[in-house]
Protein backbone atom coordinates (compact mmCIF):
# COMPACT_ATOMS: atom_id res chain seq x y z
CA UNK A 1 0.00 0.00 0.00
CA UNK A 2 2.74 2.46 0.89
CA UNK A 3 4.55 2.26 -2.53
CA UNK A 4 1.25 3.23 -4.22
CA UNK A 5 0.87 6.23 -1.91
CA UNK A 6 4.48 7.27 -2.55
CA UNK A 7 3.94 6.92 -6.30
CA UNK A 8 0.84 9.14 -6.15
CA UNK A 9 2.76 11.72 -4.10
CA UNK A 10 5.65 11.73 -6.59
CA UNK A 11 3.22 12.12 -9.49
CA UNK A 12 1.52 15.09 -7.81
CA UNK A 13 4.86 16.79 -7.11
CA UNK A 14 5.95 16.19 -10.72
CA UNK A 15 2.73 17.79 -12.01
CA UNK A 16 3.24 20.78 -9.71
CA UNK A 17 6.78 21.18 -11.06
CA UNK A 18 5.54 21.09 -14.67
CA UNK A 19 2.97 23.81 -13.98
CA UNK A 20 5.58 25.94 -12.21
CA UNK A 21 7.94 25.60 -15.18
CA UNK A 22 5.19 26.70 -17.57
CA UNK A 23 4.43 29.76 -15.42
CA UNK A 24 8.08 30.71 -14.85
CA UNK A 25 8.89 30.46 -18.55
CA UNK A 26 5.83 32.62 -19.34
CA UNK A 27 4.37 29.71 -21.25
CA UNK A 28 1.00 30.08 -22.90
CA UNK A 29 -2.12 29.64 -20.83
CA UNK A 30 -3.18 27.11 -23.42
CA UNK A 31 -0.19 24.89 -22.56
CA UNK A 32 -1.03 24.86 -18.85
CA UNK A 33 -4.69 24.18 -19.60
CA UNK A 34 -3.87 21.33 -21.96
CA UNK A 35 -1.46 19.80 -19.46
CA UNK A 36 -3.98 20.06 -16.60
CA UNK A 37 -6.96 18.66 -18.49
CA UNK A 38 -4.88 15.74 -19.65
CA UNK A 39 -4.78 14.44 -16.08
CA UNK A 40 -7.34 12.20 -14.38
CA UNK A 41 -9.86 13.74 -11.91
CA UNK A 42 -7.96 12.16 -9.00
CA UNK A 43 -4.64 13.65 -10.19
CA UNK A 44 -6.20 17.09 -10.65
CA UNK A 45 -7.80 16.89 -7.18
CA UNK A 46 -4.43 15.97 -5.64
CA UNK A 47 -2.83 18.88 -7.50
CA UNK A 48 -5.42 21.36 -6.18
CA UNK A 49 -5.24 19.95 -2.66
CA UNK A 50 -1.44 20.34 -2.66
CA UNK A 51 -1.52 23.99 -3.74
CA UNK A 52 -1.87 27.28 -1.79
CA UNK A 53 -5.24 29.12 -1.98
CA UNK A 54 -4.43 31.48 -4.89
CA UNK A 55 -2.95 28.66 -6.94
CA UNK A 56 -6.12 26.60 -6.37
CA UNK A 57 -8.28 29.34 -7.87
CA UNK A 58 -5.90 29.59 -10.83
CA UNK A 59 -6.00 25.82 -11.43
CA UNK A 60 -9.77 25.62 -11.07
CA UNK A 61 -10.14 28.29 -13.74
CA UNK A 62 -8.12 26.18 -16.19
CA UNK A 63 -10.23 23.06 -15.80
CA UNK A 64 -12.94 22.24 -18.34
CA UNK A 65 -16.39 22.71 -16.79
CA UNK A 66 -17.38 19.22 -17.89
CA UNK A 67 -14.84 17.83 -15.44
CA UNK A 68 -15.87 19.92 -12.42
CA UNK A 69 -18.29 17.38 -10.96
CA UNK A 70 -15.83 14.48 -11.21
CA UNK A 71 -13.08 16.54 -9.57
CA UNK A 72 -15.29 17.86 -6.76
CA UNK A 73 -16.04 14.30 -5.69
CA UNK A 74 -12.30 13.69 -5.22
CA UNK A 75 -11.59 16.91 -3.28
CA UNK A 76 -11.79 17.30 0.50
CA UNK A 77 -15.19 18.66 1.47
CA UNK A 78 -13.96 22.05 2.72
CA UNK A 79 -12.05 22.77 -0.51
CA UNK A 80 -14.97 21.64 -2.71
CA UNK A 81 -17.28 24.01 -0.81
CA UNK A 82 -14.89 26.93 -1.44
CA UNK A 83 -15.33 26.50 -5.20
CA UNK A 84 -19.10 25.96 -5.05
CA UNK A 85 -19.61 29.05 -2.86
CA UNK A 86 -18.53 31.25 -5.78
CA UNK A 87 -21.17 29.81 -8.14
CA UNK A 88 -24.74 31.03 -8.60
CA UNK A 89 -27.66 28.77 -7.71
CA UNK A 90 -28.17 27.59 -11.30
CA UNK A 91 -24.52 26.57 -11.63
CA UNK A 92 -24.68 24.77 -8.28
CA UNK A 93 -27.82 22.91 -9.38
CA UNK A 94 -26.26 21.83 -12.69
CA UNK A 95 -23.10 20.71 -10.92
CA UNK A 96 -24.79 18.73 -8.16
CA UNK A 97 -27.02 16.97 -10.72
CA UNK A 98 -23.86 15.16 -11.83
CA UNK A 99 -22.71 14.25 -8.32
CA UNK A 100 -23.65 11.23 -6.25
CA UNK A 101 -26.55 12.14 -3.97
CA UNK A 102 -24.49 11.84 -0.77
CA UNK A 103 -21.68 14.00 -2.21
CA UNK A 104 -24.16 16.62 -3.39
CA UNK A 105 -25.79 16.72 0.05
CA UNK A 106 -22.40 17.06 1.77
CA UNK A 107 -21.58 20.14 -0.30
CA UNK A 108 -25.03 21.77 -0.19
CA UNK A 109 -25.37 21.58 3.60
CA UNK A 110 -22.24 23.71 3.98
CA UNK A 111 -23.63 26.52 1.83
CA UNK A 112 -25.74 29.44 3.13
CA UNK A 113 -29.41 28.41 3.53
CA UNK A 114 -30.61 30.79 0.82
CA UNK A 115 -28.09 29.49 -1.73
CA UNK A 116 -28.90 25.88 -0.81
CA UNK A 117 -32.65 26.42 -1.22
CA UNK A 118 -32.18 28.20 -4.55
CA UNK A 119 -29.94 25.37 -5.79
CA UNK A 120 -32.49 22.75 -4.69
CA UNK A 121 -35.28 24.64 -6.45
CA UNK A 122 -33.26 24.67 -9.67
CA UNK A 123 -32.78 20.86 -9.62
CA UNK A 124 -35.01 18.34 -11.33
CA UNK A 125 -37.85 17.11 -9.13
CA UNK A 126 -36.42 13.59 -8.86
CA UNK A 127 -32.90 14.69 -7.94
CA UNK A 128 -34.20 17.33 -5.51
CA UNK A 129 -36.29 14.72 -3.67
CA UNK A 130 -33.30 12.37 -3.35
CA UNK A 131 -30.96 15.11 -2.08
CA UNK A 132 -33.57 16.42 0.37
CA UNK A 133 -33.97 12.90 1.75
CA UNK A 134 -30.27 12.77 2.62
CA UNK A 135 -30.27 16.36 3.91
CA UNK A 136 -33.07 15.48 6.36
CA UNK A 137 -30.64 13.35 8.38
CA UNK A 138 -27.72 14.42 10.56
CA UNK A 139 -24.41 14.56 8.69
CA UNK A 140 -22.66 12.06 10.99
CA UNK A 141 -25.36 9.36 10.74
CA UNK A 142 -26.00 6.55 8.28
CA UNK A 143 -28.75 8.67 6.70
CA UNK A 144 -26.35 11.53 6.06
CA UNK A 145 -23.79 9.10 4.66
CA UNK A 146 -26.02 7.03 2.40
CA UNK A 147 -26.78 7.21 -1.31
CA UNK A 148 -30.42 6.73 -2.31
CA UNK A 149 -29.43 5.02 -5.58
CA UNK A 150 -30.14 1.40 -4.60
CA UNK A 151 -31.43 -1.52 -6.66
CA UNK A 152 -34.17 -3.55 -4.94
CA UNK A 153 -35.79 -6.82 -6.06
CA UNK A 154 -38.63 -9.08 -4.86
CA UNK A 155 -38.07 -12.60 -3.47
CA UNK A 156 -40.69 -14.27 -5.70
CA UNK A 157 -38.95 -13.44 -8.98
CA UNK A 158 -36.67 -15.93 -10.73
CA UNK A 159 -33.04 -15.10 -11.33
CA UNK A 160 -33.73 -14.91 -15.07
CA UNK A 161 -36.28 -12.15 -14.46
CA UNK A 162 -33.82 -10.29 -12.22
CA UNK A 163 -31.11 -10.46 -14.89
CA UNK A 164 -33.49 -9.09 -17.54
CA UNK A 165 -34.48 -6.33 -15.11
CA UNK A 166 -30.83 -5.36 -14.57
CA UNK A 167 -30.17 -5.24 -18.32
CA UNK A 168 -32.82 -2.53 -18.61
CA UNK A 169 -30.58 -0.20 -16.59
CA UNK A 170 -28.05 1.89 -18.48
CA UNK A 171 -25.55 1.12 -15.72
CA UNK A 172 -25.46 -0.44 -12.27
CA UNK A 173 -24.51 1.85 -9.33
CA UNK A 174 -20.79 1.56 -8.45
CA UNK A 175 -19.72 -0.92 -5.74
CA UNK A 176 -22.89 -3.01 -6.18
CA UNK A 177 -21.80 -6.47 -5.06
CA UNK A 178 -25.29 -7.43 -3.90
CA UNK A 179 -28.92 -6.58 -4.56
CA UNK A 180 -31.35 -5.67 -1.79
CA UNK A 181 -34.41 -7.90 -1.41
CA UNK A 182 -37.66 -6.23 -0.26
CA UNK A 183 -41.37 -7.08 -0.06
CA UNK A 184 -44.19 -5.22 -1.77
CA UNK A 185 -44.06 -2.43 0.84
CA UNK A 186 -40.29 -1.95 0.40
CA UNK A 187 -39.52 -3.55 3.80
CA UNK A 188 -36.05 -5.06 3.94
CA UNK A 189 -35.89 -8.88 3.78
CA UNK A 190 -32.30 -9.73 2.86
CA UNK A 191 -29.67 -9.56 0.11
CA UNK A 192 -28.74 -11.41 -3.05
CA UNK A 193 -25.07 -11.68 -3.94
CA UNK A 194 -24.21 -10.70 -7.52
CA UNK A 195 -21.89 -13.70 -7.73
CA UNK A 196 -24.79 -16.01 -6.73
CA UNK A 197 -27.03 -14.33 -9.27
CA UNK A 198 -24.54 -14.92 -12.09
CA UNK A 199 -23.57 -18.51 -11.20
CA UNK A 200 -26.88 -20.04 -10.06
CA UNK A 201 -29.60 -21.71 -12.13
CA UNK A 202 -31.66 -18.89 -13.76
CA UNK A 203 -34.92 -20.77 -13.14
CA UNK A 204 -34.72 -20.70 -9.34
CA UNK A 205 -36.27 -17.88 -7.33
CA UNK A 206 -34.51 -15.15 -5.38
CA UNK A 207 -36.06 -16.53 -2.17
CA UNK A 208 -34.15 -19.81 -2.57
CA UNK A 209 -30.63 -18.29 -2.53
CA UNK A 210 -31.04 -14.92 -0.81
CA UNK A 211 -29.35 -14.25 2.52
CA UNK A 212 -31.56 -13.27 5.42
CA UNK A 213 -28.83 -13.11 8.07
CA UNK A 214 -27.35 -9.81 6.86
CA UNK A 215 -28.67 -7.01 9.06
CA UNK A 216 -29.47 -3.67 7.50
CA UNK A 217 -28.14 -0.42 8.98
CA UNK A 218 -30.61 1.83 10.85
CA UNK A 219 -30.79 5.26 9.27
CA UNK A 220 -29.94 7.01 12.55
CA UNK A 221 -26.84 4.92 13.37
CA UNK A 222 -23.67 6.90 14.10
CA UNK A 223 -21.27 6.87 11.13
CA UNK A 224 -18.45 5.64 13.38
CA UNK A 225 -20.47 2.52 14.22
CA UNK A 226 -21.24 2.08 10.53
CA UNK A 227 -17.51 2.04 9.81
CA UNK A 228 -16.99 -0.57 12.55
CA UNK A 229 -19.64 -2.84 11.02
CA UNK A 230 -18.04 -2.59 7.58
CA UNK A 231 -14.63 -3.43 9.08
CA UNK A 232 -15.96 -6.37 11.10
CA UNK A 233 -18.01 -7.88 8.27
CA UNK A 234 -15.82 -6.98 5.26
CA UNK A 235 -18.81 -5.36 3.56
CA UNK A 236 -18.65 -3.51 0.25
CA UNK A 237 -22.27 -2.41 0.38
CA UNK A 238 -24.94 -2.34 3.09
CA UNK A 239 -28.63 -1.36 2.85
CA UNK A 240 -30.00 1.42 5.06
CA UNK A 241 -33.50 1.20 6.57
CA UNK A 242 -35.79 3.67 8.34
CA UNK A 243 -37.74 3.18 11.57
CA UNK A 244 -40.33 1.06 9.77
CA UNK A 245 -37.73 -1.25 8.26
CA UNK A 246 -38.14 0.17 4.75
CA UNK A 247 -35.08 0.52 2.55
CA UNK A 248 -34.16 4.18 2.04
CA UNK A 249 -30.66 3.89 0.62
CA UNK A 250 -27.31 2.18 0.69
CA UNK A 251 -23.82 2.83 2.04
CA UNK A 252 -20.74 1.70 0.11
CA UNK A 253 -17.16 1.11 1.16
CA UNK A 254 -15.88 4.32 -0.46
CA UNK A 255 -18.15 6.34 1.85
CA UNK A 256 -16.90 4.38 4.85
CA UNK A 257 -13.26 4.97 3.91
CA UNK A 258 -14.01 8.72 4.00
CA UNK A 259 -15.44 8.32 7.52
CA UNK A 260 -12.37 6.38 8.68
CA UNK A 261 -10.03 9.05 7.27
CA UNK A 262 -12.07 11.84 8.89
CA UNK A 263 -12.05 10.06 12.26
CA UNK A 264 -8.29 9.50 12.02
CA UNK A 265 -7.77 13.17 11.10
CA UNK A 266 -10.00 14.20 13.99
CA UNK A 267 -8.03 12.16 16.53
CA UNK A 268 -4.67 13.35 15.21
CA UNK A 269 -5.53 17.02 14.85
CA UNK A 270 -7.55 17.22 18.07
CA UNK A 271 -4.51 16.13 20.08
CA UNK A 272 -3.03 19.51 19.09
CA UNK A 273 -6.26 21.45 19.54
CA UNK A 274 -6.96 21.67 15.79
CA UNK A 275 -10.03 20.65 13.83
CA UNK A 276 -10.01 17.69 11.45
CA UNK A 277 -10.82 20.10 8.59
CA UNK A 278 -7.59 22.05 9.18
CA UNK A 279 -6.27 22.80 5.69
CA UNK A 280 -2.51 22.45 5.19
CA UNK A 281 -2.57 25.57 3.00
CA UNK A 282 -5.25 27.52 4.88
CA UNK A 283 -4.78 31.34 4.89
CA UNK A 284 -2.90 32.91 7.80
CA UNK A 285 -5.93 34.81 9.13
CA UNK A 286 -7.85 31.54 9.33
CA UNK A 287 -5.06 29.44 10.83
CA UNK A 288 -3.69 31.81 13.49
CA UNK A 289 -6.95 32.44 15.44
CA UNK A 290 -7.69 28.69 15.70
CA UNK A 291 -4.29 27.98 17.15
CA UNK A 292 -4.38 31.04 19.41
CA UNK A 293 -7.36 29.64 21.33
CA UNK A 294 -5.54 26.49 22.37
CA UNK A 295 -2.30 28.32 23.00
CA UNK A 296 -4.27 30.47 25.43
CA UNK A 297 -5.73 27.41 27.15
CA UNK A 298 -2.26 25.90 27.37
CA UNK A 299 -0.98 29.15 28.90
CA UNK A 300 -3.61 28.91 31.64
CA UNK A 301 -2.59 25.34 32.47
CA UNK A 302 1.08 26.36 32.49
CA UNK A 303 0.27 29.15 34.95
CA UNK A 304 -1.45 26.60 37.20
CA UNK A 305 1.68 24.44 37.15
CA UNK A 306 3.86 27.49 37.82
CA UNK A 307 1.64 28.44 40.75
CA UNK A 308 2.33 25.02 42.28
CA UNK A 309 6.07 25.59 41.88
CA UNK A 310 5.75 29.00 43.50
CA UNK A 311 4.36 27.35 46.66
CA UNK A 312 7.76 25.76 47.19
CA UNK A 313 9.94 28.75 46.32
CA UNK A 314 11.76 28.69 49.67
CA UNK A 315 12.69 25.04 49.23
CA UNK A 316 13.97 25.69 45.70
CA UNK A 317 16.06 28.60 46.98
CA UNK A 318 17.74 26.24 49.47
CA UNK A 319 18.39 23.44 47.00
CA UNK A 320 19.12 24.78 43.50
CA UNK A 321 19.35 21.23 42.10
CA UNK A 322 15.56 20.96 42.45
CA UNK A 323 15.07 23.55 39.72
CA UNK A 324 17.30 21.50 37.41
CA UNK A 325 15.50 18.21 38.06
CA UNK A 326 11.87 19.39 38.14
CA UNK A 327 11.31 19.20 34.35
CA UNK A 328 12.44 15.55 34.33
CA UNK A 329 9.67 14.43 36.68
CA UNK A 330 7.00 16.36 34.78
CA UNK A 331 8.26 15.15 31.41
CA UNK A 332 8.29 11.47 32.43
CA UNK A 333 4.69 11.74 33.63
CA UNK A 334 3.63 13.63 30.50
CA UNK A 335 5.04 11.03 28.12
CA UNK A 336 3.64 8.09 30.09
CA UNK A 337 0.25 9.76 30.28
CA UNK A 338 0.21 10.49 26.54
CA UNK A 339 0.90 6.82 25.80
CA UNK A 340 -2.03 5.69 27.95
CA UNK A 341 -4.32 8.45 26.68
CA UNK A 342 -3.63 7.56 23.04
CA UNK A 343 -4.42 3.89 23.61
CA UNK A 344 -7.63 4.68 25.50
CA UNK A 345 -8.93 7.36 23.08
CA UNK A 346 -8.25 5.04 20.14
CA UNK A 347 -10.00 2.16 21.91
CA UNK A 348 -13.03 4.34 22.62
CA UNK A 349 -13.15 5.52 19.00
CA UNK A 350 -13.15 1.90 17.83
CA UNK A 351 -15.85 0.96 20.33
CA UNK A 352 -13.60 -1.45 22.22
CA UNK A 353 -13.72 0.18 25.66
CA UNK A 354 -16.77 0.22 27.92
CA UNK A 355 -17.83 -0.25 31.53
CA UNK A 356 -17.24 -4.02 31.30
CA UNK A 357 -13.51 -3.80 30.55
CA UNK A 358 -12.49 -0.38 31.85
CA UNK A 359 -11.43 -1.73 35.27
CA UNK A 360 -9.21 -4.35 33.63
CA UNK A 361 -7.60 -1.65 31.50
CA UNK A 362 -7.10 0.58 34.55
CA UNK A 363 -5.41 -2.25 36.47
CA UNK A 364 -3.19 -3.00 33.48
CA UNK A 365 -2.12 0.64 33.15
CA UNK A 366 -1.47 0.96 36.92
CA UNK A 367 0.66 -2.19 36.81
CA UNK A 368 2.53 -0.81 33.82
CA UNK A 369 3.02 2.49 35.64
CA UNK A 370 4.44 0.70 38.70
CA UNK A 371 6.82 -1.43 36.59
CA UNK A 372 8.09 1.49 34.54
CA UNK A 373 8.12 3.70 37.63
CA UNK A 374 10.37 1.31 39.54
CA UNK A 375 12.64 0.81 36.53
CA UNK A 376 13.18 4.47 35.70
CA UNK A 377 13.08 5.62 39.33
CA UNK A 378 16.10 3.41 40.03
CA UNK A 379 17.90 4.65 36.92
CA UNK A 380 17.07 8.29 37.64
CA UNK A 381 17.92 7.94 41.33
CA UNK A 382 21.37 6.48 40.59
CA UNK A 383 22.07 9.16 37.99
CA UNK A 384 20.97 11.94 40.37
CA UNK A 385 23.05 10.53 43.28
CA UNK A 386 26.14 10.47 41.05
CA UNK A 387 25.40 13.88 39.51
CA UNK A 388 24.75 15.83 42.75
CA UNK A 389 26.40 13.50 45.25
CA UNK A 390 23.28 13.67 47.43
CA UNK A 391 21.36 10.51 48.37
CA UNK A 392 18.38 12.47 49.66
CA UNK A 393 17.61 14.17 46.36
CA UNK A 394 18.08 10.83 44.60
CA UNK A 395 15.40 9.23 46.81
CA UNK A 396 13.10 12.24 46.33
CA UNK A 397 13.21 12.16 42.53
CA UNK A 398 12.83 8.36 42.46
CA UNK A 399 9.71 8.40 44.63
CA UNK A 400 8.26 11.42 42.79
CA UNK A 401 8.76 9.64 39.45
CA UNK A 402 6.85 6.58 40.64
CA UNK A 403 4.00 8.76 41.96
CA UNK A 404 3.75 10.74 38.73
CA UNK A 405 3.80 7.67 36.49
CA UNK A 406 0.97 6.18 38.56
CA UNK A 407 -0.98 9.45 38.27
CA UNK A 408 -0.35 9.44 34.51
CA UNK A 409 -1.65 5.86 34.19
CA UNK A 410 -4.80 6.55 36.22
CA UNK A 411 -5.46 9.91 34.56
CA UNK A 412 -4.82 8.62 31.04
CA UNK A 413 -7.28 5.77 31.61
CA UNK A 414 -10.09 7.59 33.41
CA UNK A 415 -9.97 11.13 31.97
CA UNK A 416 -11.36 10.22 28.51
CA UNK A 417 -14.45 8.60 30.07
CA UNK A 418 -14.95 11.53 32.46
CA UNK A 419 -14.65 14.07 29.66
CA UNK A 420 -17.04 12.08 27.46
CA UNK A 421 -19.67 12.04 30.23
CA UNK A 422 -19.27 15.81 30.47
CA UNK A 423 -19.94 16.13 26.73
CA UNK A 424 -16.33 17.10 25.97
CA UNK A 425 -14.40 15.42 23.16
CA UNK A 426 -11.62 13.33 24.83
CA UNK A 427 -9.39 13.63 21.77
CA UNK A 428 -9.67 17.41 21.88
CA UNK A 429 -9.34 18.13 25.61
CA UNK A 430 -7.69 14.97 26.95
CA UNK A 431 -4.13 16.00 26.18
CA UNK A 432 -4.41 19.42 27.84
CA UNK A 433 -6.17 18.01 30.93
CA UNK A 434 -3.68 15.18 31.32
CA UNK A 435 -0.63 17.42 30.87
CA UNK A 436 -1.95 19.71 33.61
CA UNK A 437 -2.56 16.72 35.88
CA UNK A 438 0.92 15.22 35.42
CA UNK A 439 2.61 18.61 35.79
CA UNK A 440 0.77 19.45 39.00
CA UNK A 441 1.17 15.97 40.55
CA UNK A 442 4.81 15.77 39.47
CA UNK A 443 5.74 19.15 40.93
CA UNK A 444 3.70 18.59 44.10
CA UNK A 445 5.27 15.18 44.72
CA UNK A 446 8.82 16.26 43.93
CA UNK A 447 8.83 19.60 45.72
CA UNK A 448 6.60 18.42 48.55
CA UNK A 449 8.99 15.53 49.34
CA UNK A 450 11.93 17.91 49.05
CA UNK A 451 10.32 20.25 51.58
CA UNK A 452 9.94 17.36 54.04
CA UNK A 453 13.48 16.03 53.53
CA UNK A 454 15.21 19.42 53.63
CA UNK A 455 13.03 21.04 56.31
Amino acid sequence: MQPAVDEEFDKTQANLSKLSEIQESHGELRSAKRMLNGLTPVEIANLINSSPPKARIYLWGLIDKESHADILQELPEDIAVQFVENMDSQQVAELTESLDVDDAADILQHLPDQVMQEALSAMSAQNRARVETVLSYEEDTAGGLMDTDVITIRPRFTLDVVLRYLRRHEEIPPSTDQLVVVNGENVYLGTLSMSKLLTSDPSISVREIMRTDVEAIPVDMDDGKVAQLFEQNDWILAPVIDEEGKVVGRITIDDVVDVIIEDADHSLMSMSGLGEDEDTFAPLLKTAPRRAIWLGINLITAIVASAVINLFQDTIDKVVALAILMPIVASMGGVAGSQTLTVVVRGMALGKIGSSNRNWLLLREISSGIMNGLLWACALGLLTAWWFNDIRIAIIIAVATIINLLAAAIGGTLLPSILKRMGIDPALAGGVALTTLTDVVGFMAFLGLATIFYA
Side-chain angles (χ1 to χ4, degrees):
M1 182 65 86
Q2 188 60 41
V5 174
D6 291 340
E7 183 180 344
E8 194 63 42
F9 171 79
D10 292 340
K11 191 181 293 184
T12 300
Q13 295 304 309
N15 289 330
L16 284 171
S17 298
K18 287 179 185 177
L19 279 173
S20 297
E21 289 173 7
I22 292 174
Q23 289 179 298
E24 290 173 3
S25 61
H26 304 289
E28 295 183 1
L29 191 65
R30 189 180 303 170
S31 299
K33 189 172 183 178
R34 184 168 55 250
M35 176 257 171
L36 190 63
N37 286 287
L39 304 176
T40 65
V42 173
E43 290 172 339
I44 296 173
N46 287 337
L47 203 59
I48 292 173
N49 196 25
S50 302
S51 303
K54 288 185 179 180
R56 288 172 180 169
I57 297 172
Y58 169 74
L59 293 174
W60 185 255
L62 297 178
I63 300 167
D64 293 336
K65 290 185 178 180
E66 295 78 18
S67 303
H68 281 178
D70 292 332
I71 295 166
L72 280 179
Q73 292 188 97
E74 304 297 338
L75 284 171
E77 193 175 284
D78 56 322
I79 297 178
V81 169
Q82 290 172 16
F83 291 130
V84 175
E85 281 177 336
N86 296 320
M87 302 178 185
D88 58 42
S89 57
Q90 185 61 44
Q91 289 175 315
V92 174
E94 292 174 359
L95 188 66
T96 49
E97 288 275 1
S98 305
L99 295 174
D100 292 338
V101 172
D102 53 335
D103 291 326
D106 286 341
I107 291 175
L108 287 175
Q109 65 188 352
H110 288 89
L111 297 176
D113 288 341
Q114 183 178 350
V115 177
M116 181 178 71
Q117 293 303 325
E118 290 176 356
L120 287 171
S121 299
M123 291 181 183
S124 64
Q126 182 182 16
N127 205 44
R128 179 171 62 252
R130 294 168 65 190
V131 172
E132 286 178 339
T133 298
V134 176
L135 286 172
S136 66
Y137 299 105
E138 293 292 332
E139 183 181 5
D140 57 354
T141 64
L145 190 63
M146 71 179 182
D147 186 351
T148 57
D149 191 10
V150 56
I151 297 179
T152 58
I153 56 175
R154 305 285 175 80
R156 59 186 173 85
F157 293 131
T158 64
L159 302 189
D160 183 52
V161 172
V162 173
L163 287 168
R164 281 189 276 125
Y165 167 67
L166 292 178
R167 292 190 188 102
R168 291 169 54 189
H169 291 73
E170 291 184 7
E171 60 179 3
I172 294 176
S175 302
T176 301
D177 70 324
Q178 55 187 331
L179 305 177
V180 181
V181 185
V182 298
N183 64 14
E185 297 179 348
N186 202 40
V187 173
Y188 173 74
L189 299 176
T191 62
L192 173 63
S193 164
M194 291 291 282
S195 61
K196 283 280 188 183
L197 172 64
L198 296 172
T199 58
S200 300
D201 183 351
S203 64
I204 65 176
S205 69
V206 170
R207 181 177 286 106
E208 294 177 71
I209 61 171
M210 64 181 279
R211 291 187 60 181
T212 57
D213 59 339
V214 179
E215 293 187 12
I217 295 176
V219 73
D220 58 354
M221 179 179 284
D222 179 81
D223 60 3
K225 292 182 179 178
V226 172
Q228 290 173 26
L229 287 174
F230 268 77
E231 185 270 331
Q232 292 166 5
N233 297 285
D234 293 327
W235 287 341
I236 294 176
L237 176 150
V240 180
I241 56 173
D242 62 14
E243 296 81 1
E244 299 175 351
K246 295 182 179 181
V247 174
V248 291
R250 67 175 192 148
I251 294 174
T252 51
I253 187 64
D254 57 311
D255 301 314
V256 173
V257 169
D258 290 339
V259 171
I260 293 170
I261 292 173
E262 287 173 7
D263 287 347
D265 284 345
H266 172 75
S267 296
L268 177 63
M269 302 298 277
S270 293
M271 289 292 187
S272 300
L274 303 173
E276 67 267 25
D277 59 346
E278 182 78 11
D279 184 358
T280 304
F281 297 99
L284 174 63
L285 293 180
K286 186 177 180 180
T287 300
R290 287 181 175 182
R291 300 184 183 183
I293 293 172
W294 280 94
L295 286 171
I297 293 173
N298 184 70
L299 176 60
I300 293 172
T301 62
I303 291 173
V304 171
S306 297
V308 173
I309 296 172
N310 187 58
L311 295 174
F312 302 95
Q313 184 175 354
D314 293 339
T315 305
I316 297 173
D317 289 341
K318 291 179 183 177
V319 187
V320 179
L322 296 175
I324 300 172
L325 297 172
M326 275 193 308
I328 297 176
V329 178
S331 177
M332 291 291 287
V335 171
S338 296
Q339 292 172 339
T340 302
L341 183 70
T342 301
V343 170
V344 173
V345 169
R346 177 178 178 273
M348 290 174 65
L350 295 175
K352 294 181 179 180
I353 296 177
S355 56
S356 61
N357 56 16
R358 189 175 293 112
N359 289 339
W360 183 93
L361 187 63
L362 177 60
L363 182 60
R364 198 273 309 269
E365 290 302 317
I366 290 175
S367 300
S368 176
I370 292 173
M371 288 179 63
N372 279 313
L374 290 172
L375 171 63
W376 294 109
C378 291
L380 192 53
L382 290 172
L383 176 63
T384 304
W386 169 78
W387 190 356
F388 295 99
N389 195 27
D390 188 338
I391 192 64
R392 286 182 298 175
I393 201 169
I395 295 172
I396 290 168
I397 197 169
V399 174
T401 299
I402 295 173
I403 293 172
N404 208 19
L405 289 184
L406 278 174
I410 296 170
T413 305
L414 298 181
L415 268 176
S417 298
I418 295 171
L419 291 171
K420 192 171 183 179
R421 287 198 193 101
M422 295 170 63
I424 302 172
D425 185 353
L428 186 62
V432 175
L434 186 60
T435 299
T436 305
L437 174 67
T438 53
D439 282 353
V440 170
V441 171
F443 292 145
M444 286 288 289
F446 184 56
L447 297 177
L449 288 169
T451 301
I452 295 171
F453 273 70
Y454 288 97

